[in-house]
Amino acid sequence: MVETANHNHNHHHHHTPPNQAAPPPSTGVAPPLGSARGPFFPPAEQLLQLHYCIHSNPSWVPTVVLAFQHYIVMLGTTVMIATALVPRMGGGPGDKARVIQSLLFMSGINTLLQTWFGTRLPTVMGPSFAYIISVLAIINDLSDSDFSSEHERFSHTMRAIQGSLIVSSFVNIILGYSNAWGKLTRFLSPVVLVPAVCVVGLGLFARGFPQLGNCVEIGLPMLILLVISQQYLQHIHPVARPMLERFALLVCVGIIWAFAAILTVAGAYNNVRQQTKLSCRTDRSFLISSAPWIKIPYPFQWGTPIFRASHVFGMMGAALVSSAESTGTFYAAARLAGATSPPGHVFSRSIGLQGIGQLLEGIFGSVVGTTASVENVGLLGLTRVGSRRVVQISTAFMIFFSIFGKFGAFFASIPLPIFAAIYCILYGIVAAIGISFIQFTNNNSMRNIYVLGVSLFLGISIPRYFIMNTDASGHGPVRTHGGWFNDILNTIFSSPPTVALIVGGLLDNTLEARHAVDDRGLPWLVPFYHKKGDSRNEEFYSYPLRINEYIPTRFL
């Protein structure tokens, strides 16, 4: 393996098109003992089994339908976060509808910004779970104060969240535009990327079957139907293949949602537990009745932001975590879009832009900041369409449905177990993409196996401990007298990708790092660290139109 990597690196630096891999070298590799002979699969820097890569676009009708599919997939997280937080702040169904609208609106704007001026990868920027601990801490802080009504408590809490989002966004802006984040990504060899990207998918296991299990009679048929229609039924007829592969998910959601509506109307859920009602009924959320017909989110819609130092510090931890999680997601997205790994300067400008996005979110009054949405990256792999334009058009749906509230609320009433069934597949695809980075390393090096194993296990195990010991008010295992210090540590260690990056990065760069350069697979990634390292960097990641001429060169 190592010799092959070097051989490729030395002789085929710029010239080999990615689909003609170098032939395995005849010298230097001992033939396997015995009669075991298998095919040799050379590493591929770009995935070649996609129907559309990052800058090839399907025709308009499929593009619009695929864009709508991206919108439906990202809705799940948005509704989950609003459902978890708004009732705790004292908001009613009307407030929840407005929160969902502002989350959608900001996701649309941030996705547009990222696909145009950030990473230029087809990633949807969706609301992030990383902020929940610090938001719970703010809610908890304000719950003892005297308010004349629950609604007043809600708007006061929203203003406090806005203030801390605005201030903590500067962490990401500084990290990004000072180029610090890009320099940090140079320490990530493929050995670290395997656990980091893998855990981006695997770390979300609690949002898969455990959520689906809240309502098995809806979730399980969805999961089975999706696997059968999207994979097995493809082979019936050549015409059905592209249709099913790309649009089966939408059809399944429609069928099972209709099934859930029939069960609701037929009275199957009239005398069951409250939790089952909430999960299964399609009319459970009163969103449609309480959502406004037309409402454009505007700056400071809840009132003037409130700035308090203790709240701000907790949010800073969440801002850091969202950067780390996005980094892992961007690597997976680049692979699933058929692009090469993103260079350092691309990470820097995207994290800086994420900070600007968080600043806008604080101004427009969103509940949490955004991060790159993992499920939408999985959707690129499921449909095999990694086109950037599809994601850009999906922002039109987000912004449209956030302004016309009644229509948006209609789709937001899809029962959550349906989303959980989709996540079971999409998160798995992202985790598998993480594992595929192992092709650039020496799999038989005991040092690599040690680094991989420890960081993968701790990346799942440490956050599990932190999450299990976090109570409803956001207090985690770290309990010193400094509330903000607790919030930062609890947030950082509750995030699997962040823990995997920290553990993997430390081990990989301190254990025999110099001797094991080839084993770690660095020669494969080095050309992509620098802007001019590989001719494909410009092709995938350069700015649109002729913006380059107007931007200071250090940001390009």
Side-chain angles (χ1 to χ4, degrees):
M1 286 298 283
V2 186
E3 280 83 0
T4 323
N6 284 349
H7 177 91
N8 264 2
H9 178 59
N10 296 340
H11 305 299
H12 297 267
H13 198 68
H14 288 298
H15 322 293
T16 322
N19 50 357
Q20 301 166 357
S26 50
T27 54
V29 177
L33 298 170
S35 57
R37 294 280 187 284
F40 176 80
F41 298 109
E45 296 154 343
Q46 293 166 262
L47 263 184
L48 296 169
Q49 290 196 349
L50 299 169
H51 300 313
Y52 293 96
C53 77
I54 186 163
H55 40 215
S56 56
N57 303 310
S59 55
W60 276 104
V61 177
T63 299
V64 172
V65 180
L66 283 164
F68 182 65
Q69 191 162 278
H70 271 282
Y71 161 73
I72 290 289
V73 166
M74 66 82 61
L75 250 185
T77 313
T78 312
V79 177
M80 251 182 232
I81 286 182
T83 312
L85 294 178
V86 175
R88 288 204 178 133
M89 300 182 200
D95 297 320
K96 183 173 150 186
R98 277 184 68 191
V99 165
I100 290 180
Q101 279 175 275
S102 44
L103 281 173
L104 274 179
F105 184 74
M106 286 319 303
S107 294
I109 288 185
N110 276 331
T111 307
L112 267 186
L113 285 175
Q114 279 291 1
T115 48
W116 269 337
F117 313 118
T119 49
R120 310 267 301 136
L121 287 169
T123 46
V124 171
M125 305 300 287
S128 160
F129 275 85
Y131 293 82
I132 282 193
I133 292 181
S134 31
V135 170
L136 286 175
I138 295 177
I139 295 173
N140 201 38
D141 241 15
L142 298 171
S143 58
D144 350 335
S145 321
D146 301 328
F147 294 110
S148 55
S149 69
E150 280 290 270
H151 184 76
E152 192 192 329
R153 179 165 81 93
F154 171 74
S155 53
H156 192 85
T157 313
M158 281 304 288
R159 287 160 55 200
I161 292 171
Q162 271 185 273
S164 46
L165 275 175
I166 289 175
V167 179
S168 62
S169 68
F170 287 99
V171 171
N172 283 357
I173 294 178
I174 291 166
L175 266 180
Y177 289 124
S178 66
N179 220 347
W181 198 263
K183 290 197 168 64
L184 280 176
T185 56
R186 288 185 191 173
F187 292 104
L188 305 181
S189 69
V191 178
V192 190
L193 289 182
V194 175
V197 180
C198 193
V199 159
V200 165
L202 287 187
L204 301 173
F205 62 88
R207 269 190 258 163
F209 212 90
Q211 288 265 354
L212 183 152
N214 289 340
C215 191
V216 179
E217 61 269 30
I218 293 175
L220 205 54
M222 175 71 198
L223 183 57
I224 295 168
L225 188 67
L226 185 56
V227 173
I228 291 176
S229 63
Q230 209 261 340
Q231 297 294 332
Y232 289 101
L233 292 184
Q234 278 182 26
H235 309 296
I236 298 176
H237 196 279
V239 177
R241 183 165 190 154
M243 299 299 287
L244 279 173
E245 192 163 49
R246 285 171 215 171
F247 311 124
L249 194 144
L250 269 184
V251 178
C252 292
V253 169
I255 294 171
I256 304 286
W257 189 15
F259 173 61
I262 292 168
L263 284 182
T264 305
V265 176
Y269 299 124
N270 288 353
N271 13 2
V272 287
R273 288 178 328 179
Q274 188 59 31
Q275 174 62 42
T276 316
K277 270 189 186 171
L278 282 177
S279 300
C280 302
R281 288 183 79 94
T282 49
D283 57 358
R284 57 147 180 18
S285 45
F286 307 109
L287 281 179
I288 301 182
S289 51
S290 52
W293 275 106
I294 293 183
K295 176 114 185 152
I296 299 178
Y298 53 91
F300 306 119
Q301 54 181 340
W302 313 102
T304 47
I306 298 170
F307 300 99
R308 273 177 65 179
S310 58
H311 298 165
V312 168
F313 281 113
M315 276 286 185
M316 284 182 176
L320 272 173
V321 164
S322 73
S323 312
E325 290 186 350
S326 296
T327 304
T329 317
F330 287 144
Y331 271 110
R335 195 126 182 85
L336 284 172
T340 48
S341 291
H345 68 279
V346 170
F347 277 119
S348 289
R349 73 188 187 204
S350 81
I351 297 300
L353 199 63
Q354 217 168 299
I356 290 174
Q358 194 181 321
L359 180 65
L360 285 175
E361 264 159 359
I363 291 171
F364 275 89
S366 177
V367 197
V368 290
T370 50
T371 182
S373 146
V374 184
E375 49 270 33
N376 289 82
V377 172
L379 188 61
L380 301 178
L382 191 70
T383 55
R384 299 198 193 181
V385 178
S387 164
R388 187 189 293 140
R389 183 179 292 166
V390 169
V391 169
Q392 286 171 334
I393 291 173
S394 74
T395 60
F397 285 108
M398 294 174 211
I399 293 170
F400 173 83
F401 285 119
S402 69
I403 292 172
F404 297 96
K406 283 268 192 267
F407 301 110
F410 173 65
F411 289 108
S413 66
I414 300 178
L416 289 179
I418 292 185
F419 288 117
I422 302 175
Y423 294 161
C424 286
I425 293 176
L426 298 185
Y427 291 156
I429 291 177
V430 175
I433 283 293
I435 295 175
S436 77
F437 278 102
I438 206 169
Q439 62 187 317
F440 304 121
T441 66
N442 177 3
N443 302 341
N444 298 321
S445 144
M446 282 312 292
R447 171 207 175 273
N448 281 1
I449 289 173
Y450 179 83
V451 173
L452 274 178
V454 172
S455 42
L456 188 58
F457 184 79
L458 287 183
I460 293 177
S461 191
I462 293 179
R464 184 80 198 129
Y465 163 73
F466 272 78
I467 288 165
M468 281 174 70
N469 291 302
T470 302
D471 55 19
S473 54
H475 292 307
V478 180
R479 297 192 178 182
T480 58
H481 293 304
W484 57 273
F485 177 75
N486 301 346
D487 285 349
I488 289 182
L489 280 188
N490 287 331
T491 305
I492 286 179
F493 287 110
S494 297
S495 150
T498 316
V499 176
L501 277 174
I502 293 171
V503 175
L506 278 176
L507 288 177
D508 188 50
N509 289 293
T510 49
L511 279 177
E512 309 173 1
R514 289 284 159 79
H515 307 302
V517 167
D518 292 340
D519 281 1
R520 292 164 61 198
L522 279 178
W524 283 95
L525 278 194
V526 166
F528 305 114
Y529 287 151
H530 305 285
K531 193 175 166 200
K532 299 280 188 283
D534 190 294
S535 52
R536 288 169 291 182
N537 287 355
E538 280 293 301
E539 181 190 346
F540 296 126
Y541 298 106
S542 57
Y543 279 122
L545 306 173
R546 290 169 67 185
I547 298 179
N548 295 5
E549 297 164 18
Y550 308 109
I551 291 182
T553 46
R554 63 178 183 279
F555 295 144
L556 284 175

